[in-house]
Amino acid sequence: MTWTEETRTGVEVALNEADVLGLRVSPVDDAAELLLHVCAQSEQTASDPDPRRVLRLLGATRIRVLLREDPHGGYGPMIPLTGLDDVEAFYAALGGWYSMYGWEFLDRPARTAGWPAEPSLTVDLRPGPAPHTLFWFTEGWKAGEGTGYCIEGTVEFAGLEVTRADGTPVPVEEFTADARHYWDVLFGRRGAPPQAQVAPAAAPSWRQPVPFDDED
């Protein structure tokens, strides 16, 4: 793909109100992969039975993750993570979460301006620097508990591609066009009623729940 300002803003639209539900490194090419439920609606269909997408960040050089409790009075201290397996365990233990919001996720250094000096986890995949940075986050809570958490992170990368959960490629142009169409429908700009939105009430899950304990 050719990286342009239109590409950047289109991907940001596609990520707005997406659920971030996992982060992993591909064993095939060391791409950083963000697991998402997206808001998307194509011109041809009014619904998508599986809104799961994988945002594959190619040529990724560094991953940083910050996990903190998120009480009403402000963030708690950084919770250390020993590796991406801990990130997976956290996501697997979530009982509920909120979608990512804010419209600005790519090459936006201000999004991490309030971070502590050291995050919970830093993973260096290859020597840097990389030309682009993705910011992502999930606000949620563990099953059976009322404690709120915020997990957020950055990935420094060179290029990106998108697949469905089963690995079927999705052209970046289609990924961004379907997102723009979703928002046009939602805001009534396409003449279609807002109830034609695609996001199902219960999106297919990425995994089975497993316990997570931040005291370990």
Side-chain angles (χ1 to χ4, degrees):
M1 57 162 285
T2 301
W3 189 273
T4 65
E5 180 64 13
E6 182 179 3
T7 301
R8 184 183 68 80
T9 57
V11 172
E12 288 185 318
V13 169
L15 292 176
N16 194 58
E17 296 297 329
D19 300 332
V20 179
L21 293 173
L23 174 67
R24 65 193 183 194
V25 174
S26 167
V28 176
D29 57 5
D30 286 339
E33 297 184 333
L34 206 64
L35 311 183
L36 305 167
H37 292 163
V38 298
C39 299
Q41 183 168 332
S42 73
E43 296 274 3
Q44 291 74 36
T45 61
S47 64
D48 186 334
D50 189 349
R52 291 178 297 175
R53 302 291 186 273
V54 181
L55 186 66
R56 287 177 34 83
L57 302 165
L58 309 176
T61 59
R62 173 173 287 185
I63 296 171
R64 296 191 302 155
V65 181
L66 177 60
L67 175 63
R68 296 178 286 185
E69 287 192 9
D70 187 14
H72 294 299
Y75 291 121
M78 175 270 289
I79 298 172
L81 300 168
T82 61
L84 290 176
D85 286 347
D86 282 357
V87 176
E88 171 63 15
F90 172 81
Y91 272 107
L94 283 180
W97 56 84
Y98 298 109
S99 301
M100 188 165 66
Y101 53 87
W103 299 97
E104 298 182 346
F105 310 109
L106 286 167
D107 302 332
R108 306 284 190 173
R111 297 301 300 263
T112 59
W115 277 24
E118 291 294 331
S120 302
L121 174 68
T122 299
V123 179
D124 289 313
L125 298 173
R126 56 173 59 86
H132 303 292
T133 302
L134 171 75
F135 171 78
W136 56 270
F137 68 92
T138 304
E139 297 168 334
W141 55 94
K142 293 191 291 183
E145 297 186 14
T147 303
Y149 291 89
C150 179
I151 187 168
E152 53 192 326
T154 61
V155 180
E156 298 169 34
F157 68 100
L160 61 84
E161 60 187 26
V162 182
T163 73
R164 288 182 171 269
D166 63 4
T168 303
V170 177
V172 173
E173 296 79 8
E174 178 182 321
F175 179 63
T176 58
D178 288 354
R180 291 190 184 280
H181 188 233
Y182 171 91
W183 289 105
D184 283 347
V185 169
L186 180 63
F187 293 133
R189 293 192 290 254
R190 293 292 183 101
Q195 58 264 32
Q197 296 175 60
V198 52
S205 175
W206 287 97
R207 59 182 70 78
Q208 294 297 318
V210 299
F212 170 78
D213 187 352
D214 60 86
E215 299 299 326
D216 290 345

